[in-house]
Structure formats: structure tokens, C-alpha cells
Amino acid sequence: MKIAVVTGASSGMGRDFVMSIDSEFELDEIWVIARRKERLLELQSQCRSEIKPVSLDLAREESFKEYQALLEEKNPEIKVLVNAAGCGLFGTFTEMDMEQQLKIIDLNAKALTAVCHMSIPYMPHDSHIINLASNSSWQPVPYINVYGASKAYVMSFSRALGVELKSKGIHVMAVAPGWIKTEFFEHAVHDDTIKYYDRFYTSKQVVDKAMKDLRKKKSVSIKGFPVRMQVRAVKLLPVDMIMKTWCRQQGK
């Protein structure tokens, strides 16, 4: 049984990845993972492949055992794995709830790592892993610092994993978008700490670019020439200068 697995599939980029993978690959099933089962069920009417809703909260470590048990029971061939589940908080580190910030690490880094580790034994030659990183992966970001650090982990992990898995014929790509207007902002933004957003892309624009880069087997996908130029600048300029510029943009 050939399948794709998409986490964070109930909304935003995860949902758009389901649609794109469904049209790009010939699959028996797409396993869609998120907490909201009713949102997952809606995908069936929009896809050719059979949709298998897997209602899990990946911020909870117990969910790993449930996913592992499902893999062992079904013994699928995973052609594509997309780790799109994630969360963040914008604000001052010391003024935000500690448990909520630890949840960012649990979901963005720990769960992504666990899902990769459990899935790889079921991935054949010429399969793909797509991990959702961020434009925040490239530098420290004050007032989004836990989120940014978690995405820096995703970038580093993905690029190194891609080297390790190359001999197995498994391609790994990190997607590093700039600002995307999705439900993420409804949960991440709770005050006006972050005021300046230079430009927004849609989730579909980012996913469409990611799928093009997937065909080329790139290790990193970045949507938008301005974002790519920003990444180049960040690599060349001193870190302190980058952080000061960011803080000035936010009125800090």
C-alpha cells in the first residue's frame, strides 16, 4: 500500500500539501494527522486518494506510540512524508507562559524528529521527506525566539538528515517560507509585540513552489526573490546587526 503522511493537515500549509501531493503522486491513501478529525474528514471530497484521518495531538508524547502502532499494523510504503504541524508565540520570553513555549519545542522539533524516525523504516527508494522550517531558521529572532530556535533546529536537522539518507534514495527538503497568512497567526499573535510584516505569501504559493523544488530534489525551498535575498544577507552580515535591524523594525 503506497501512502503519503501529512501532519498538521487540518489547515494552512498542511492542508495545501495534501491537495498538491494528491494531484502529484499516485497513492492508495493519504494519512492526514491533526487534532481536529472533522477538518480531516472534509479532505476526502477534495482528493482522488483515499483519505485516512488520524486524530493525534503530536505535542503529546503518547501520540508517538499510536502512530508507531498504526505503522506496524498497516506496514505501508510511505512515498511522501510532510511534517507541517507546528505552533509559535510572538512576545517577550519572560512574559509568556512557560508551558506554551515548551509546547512549541515539543511540536516543532520533538514531534517532527519522532515522526521522521518512525516513518523512515517504511520509506522506499525515491521517497521524500518535507519538513516545514521558516525564514526564522537562519538567524536568532528576538520576541519570536523559541519559535525561531525550533525552526533553526528543523533546518539543521533536515539538511543533515538529507545527507545521511541520500544513499537510501530518500530525499529530504526543508521549506523555509517568509510570512504566510494562515491560522498560525490566530494562535501566535496575542499582542502588538510584532508590528512590522514586510510581505505576505499565501500558503498555496509556498506549497506550489515547494512541489516544484521537490521535483528538482532541492534540499531547501524558499518562495519569493525578496525572501531569498534576505537569506543571503543574513548569511553575510553580523548576527548582532541582523537582530538590531529586526528590533528597529518592530519599534524596540
Side-chain angles (χ1 to χ4, degrees):
M1 178 173 63
K2 293 182 180 181
I3 72 166
V5 177
V6 182
T7 74
S10 62
S11 65
M13 288 189 62
R15 196 175 184 88
D16 283 329
F17 266 119
V18 172
M19 308 298 185
S20 293
I21 287 168
D22 178 62
S23 63
E24 185 83 13
F25 293 87
E26 293 298 327
L27 301 164
D28 297 306
E29 291 183 349
I30 302 178
W31 293 9
V32 289
I33 301 176
R35 291 175 300 167
R36 296 175 291 184
K37 188 173 182 178
E38 69 282 357
R39 294 289 296 274
L40 299 177
L41 289 168
E42 294 171 2
L43 288 164
Q44 185 58 78
S45 63
Q46 303 171 55
C47 295
R48 299 179 304 156
S49 308
E50 185 69 25
I51 295 296
K52 182 177 179 59
V54 183
S55 182
L56 293 175
D57 181 357
L58 290 173
R60 295 170 52 251
E61 195 165 334
E62 306 87 79
S63 67
F64 304 161
K65 295 179 181 178
E66 296 179 48
Y67 179 60
Q68 182 70 65
L70 186 59
L71 289 172
E72 291 172 358
E73 177 191 352
K74 301 296 185 182
N75 193 30
E77 184 178 286
I78 302 175
K79 294 294 292 180
V80 189
L81 167 65
V82 180
N83 281 297
C87 64
L89 282 176
F90 297 176
T92 304
F93 173 73
T94 54
E95 295 175 3
M96 293 188 293
D97 179 72
M98 182 183 74
E99 292 300 322
Q100 288 298 310
Q101 295 188 79
L102 292 176
K103 182 180 177 182
I104 296 171
I105 300 169
D106 286 342
L107 188 56
N108 295 4
K110 186 176 181 179
L112 178 144
T113 305
V115 171
C116 282
H117 194 274
M118 291 184 286
S119 300
I120 288 168
Y122 298 88
M123 302 189 77
H125 189 275
D126 201 26
S127 56
H128 305 271
I129 297 173
I130 302 172
N131 290 329
L132 186 56
S134 167
N135 199 30
S136 301
S137 302
W138 308 105
Q139 71 282 317
V141 189
Y143 307 103
I144 315 179
N145 72 62
V146 175
Y147 173 79
S150 73
K151 292 302 185 177
Y153 170 87
V154 172
M155 179 62 70
S156 179
F157 170 73
S158 300
R159 298 178 93 170
L161 184 65
V163 172
E164 292 187 29
L165 295 180
K166 187 175 182 179
S167 62
K168 298 180 184 294
I170 301 175
H171 165 236
V172 182
M173 183 177 75
V175 179
W179 299 113
I180 313 172
K181 197 66 175 179
T182 65
E183 289 183 18
F184 171 88
F185 278 86
E186 296 175 14
H187 304 286
V189 178
H190 57 91
D191 59 23
D192 63 350
T193 301
I194 303 301
K195 303 179 179 70
Y196 173 76
Y197 303 94
D198 52 355
R199 64 183 58 79
F200 279 96
Y201 293 96
T202 68
S203 172
K204 188 175 185 307
Q205 286 175 317
V206 174
V207 171
D208 286 349
K209 177 64 163 63
M211 295 305 291
K212 289 179 182 177
D213 289 339
L214 191 74
R215 297 182 206 112
K216 299 174 184 176
K217 294 197 172 180
K218 290 190 175 183
S219 61
V220 179
S221 176
I222 302 172
K223 171 62 183 175
F225 179 78
V227 181
R228 290 196 294 275
M229 291 302 98
Q230 182 181 339
V231 171
R232 286 192 180 185
V234 162
K235 290 180 177 179
L236 295 172
L237 297 174
V239 171
D240 285 349
M241 179 185 297
I242 296 297
M243 289 194 291
K244 285 178 181 177
T245 300
W246 162 259
C247 287
R248 279 200 303 272
Q249 289 173 334
Q250 305 307 333
K252 306 299 179 188

